[in-house]
Amino acid sequence: MDLDVLNMFVIAGGTLAIPILAFVASFLLWPSALIRIYYWYWRRALGMQVRYASYDDYQFCYSYRGRPGYRPSILMLHGFSAHKDMWLSIVKFLPKNLHLVCVDMPGHEGTTRSSLDDLSISGQTKRIHQFVECIKLNRRPFHLVGTSMGGNVAGVYAAQYPDEVCSLTLICPAGATTDSNFIKELKESDHLAGIDRIPLIPSTPEEMADMLKLCSYVRFKVPQQILQGLVDVRIPHNDFYRR
């Protein structure tokens, strides 16, 4: 084989090996970094842009796609201990010409976290209304979507500001008057685990796996490194989640 051709293959192989080795090293040593990169990539791929809005000294972080138009906008509220990027798996199925807004709930991810903040459902509803006013989303009635804790907030929001909401979608909302199987299992887990271990606030990969089983209807196997990455991302926020 010609020496120049051989050198070309060596250089090409080395060029390919660097990102592969970087990926393997990140997967093994810094799985949480890969999770952040994953969300960043999917936001870019789906055309979601991250922005901030301020109400007095309070800052909201949100992602959006599209512009307000003749079709109603869609505001999406995530659940307890999640963040705006949890909606990306839904966003990919929605038409690109819709105006979508996914906001970090009070105290979560990029939105202000204050020890003085009212984190009750009514308190969070008030904050979300401030956010809606900040970005002038209520110039026209909008679709409101919420899941779990965000579903509870969405329901209260629609009751308090009915003129601002043209439709309401609640996905497994918290606050139901009767306990679902999930709530029953959660209460049983709380009773067995005691105050030191809250099923929805994992601090080890094993606890993360248990939480995924509790919260997911479909059972699936998650690699240990991914579980570790998910835990690493959440641990800095666990004291807030407990509060």
Side-chain angles (χ1 to χ4, degrees):
M1 180 181 291
D2 184 89
L3 185 59
D4 291 337
V5 175
L6 180 60
N7 287 336
M8 182 181 68
F9 277 111
V10 171
I11 293 172
T15 303
L16 289 173
I18 291 174
I20 293 173
L21 290 174
F23 175 84
V24 172
S26 298
F27 183 77
L28 295 175
L29 302 176
W30 306 289
S32 60
L34 278 184
I35 291 173
R36 292 188 176 93
I37 292 171
Y38 167 83
Y39 285 127
W40 172 85
Y41 169 79
W42 276 111
R43 281 199 305 268
R44 298 270 297 184
L46 295 172
M48 299 292 289
Q49 301 182 57
V50 176
R51 291 290 184 270
Y52 294 87
S54 296
Y55 185 92
D56 293 334
D57 59 347
Y58 198 87
Q59 178 178 265
F60 297 94
C61 180
Y62 67 102
S63 61
Y64 78 97
R65 186 175 73 186
R67 295 176 178 274
Y70 71 93
R71 292 183 176 180
S73 300
I74 301 177
L75 174 60
M76 311 180 85
L77 308 181
H78 65 75
F80 171 73
S81 77
H83 48 77
K84 59 187 176 298
D85 291 332
M86 68 148 283
W87 294 110
L88 294 176
S89 59
I90 304 297
V91 168
K92 67 180 181 180
F93 294 109
L94 298 178
K96 292 186 177 180
N97 60 347
L98 292 178
H99 179 224
L100 308 176
V101 179
C102 305
V103 63
D104 285 325
M105 297 294 284
H108 289 69
E109 197 73 9
T111 292
T112 294
R113 177 176 299 173
S114 170
S115 59
L116 302 178
D117 214 10
D118 179 4
L119 298 173
S120 67
I121 295 301
S122 60
Q124 292 192 64
T125 301
K126 180 180 178 180
R127 283 296 188 194
I128 294 302
H129 188 246
Q130 291 172 352
F131 168 71
V132 166
E133 291 185 319
C134 278
I135 65 171
K136 298 179 173 58
L137 194 64
N138 54 354
R139 285 180 173 177
R140 296 181 58 192
F142 57 87
H143 297 298
L144 183 56
V145 181
T147 184
S148 192
M149 179 188 75
N152 198 338
V153 173
V156 174
Y157 190 104
Q160 292 185 356
Y161 310 101
D163 293 340
E164 298 185 4
V165 177
C166 63
S167 76
L168 178 65
T169 302
L170 305 180
I171 306 169
C172 304
T177 55
T178 57
D179 287 350
S180 64
N181 290 334
F182 165 76
I183 295 298
K184 291 176 182 177
E185 290 185 32
L186 185 61
K187 288 181 176 179
E188 180 66 19
S189 298
D190 280 338
H191 176 71
L192 294 175
I195 193 64
D196 293 331
R197 180 170 180 252
I198 302 173
L200 294 181
I201 309 178
S203 56
T204 67
E206 292 73 26
E207 291 177 4
M208 174 59 71
D210 290 341
M211 189 194 80
L212 293 177
K213 290 178 182 177
L214 180 65
C215 297
S216 303
Y217 177 76
V218 177
R219 295 290 183 259
F220 51 90
K221 180 70 174 178
V222 181
Q224 183 74 7
Q225 287 301 114
I226 298 298
L227 292 172
Q228 183 64 60
L230 292 171
V231 169
D232 291 344
V233 168
R234 294 171 63 99
I235 279 179
H237 310 288
N238 276 357
D239 287 342
F240 166 73
Y241 295 151
R242 289 188 182 95
R243 182 167 71 87

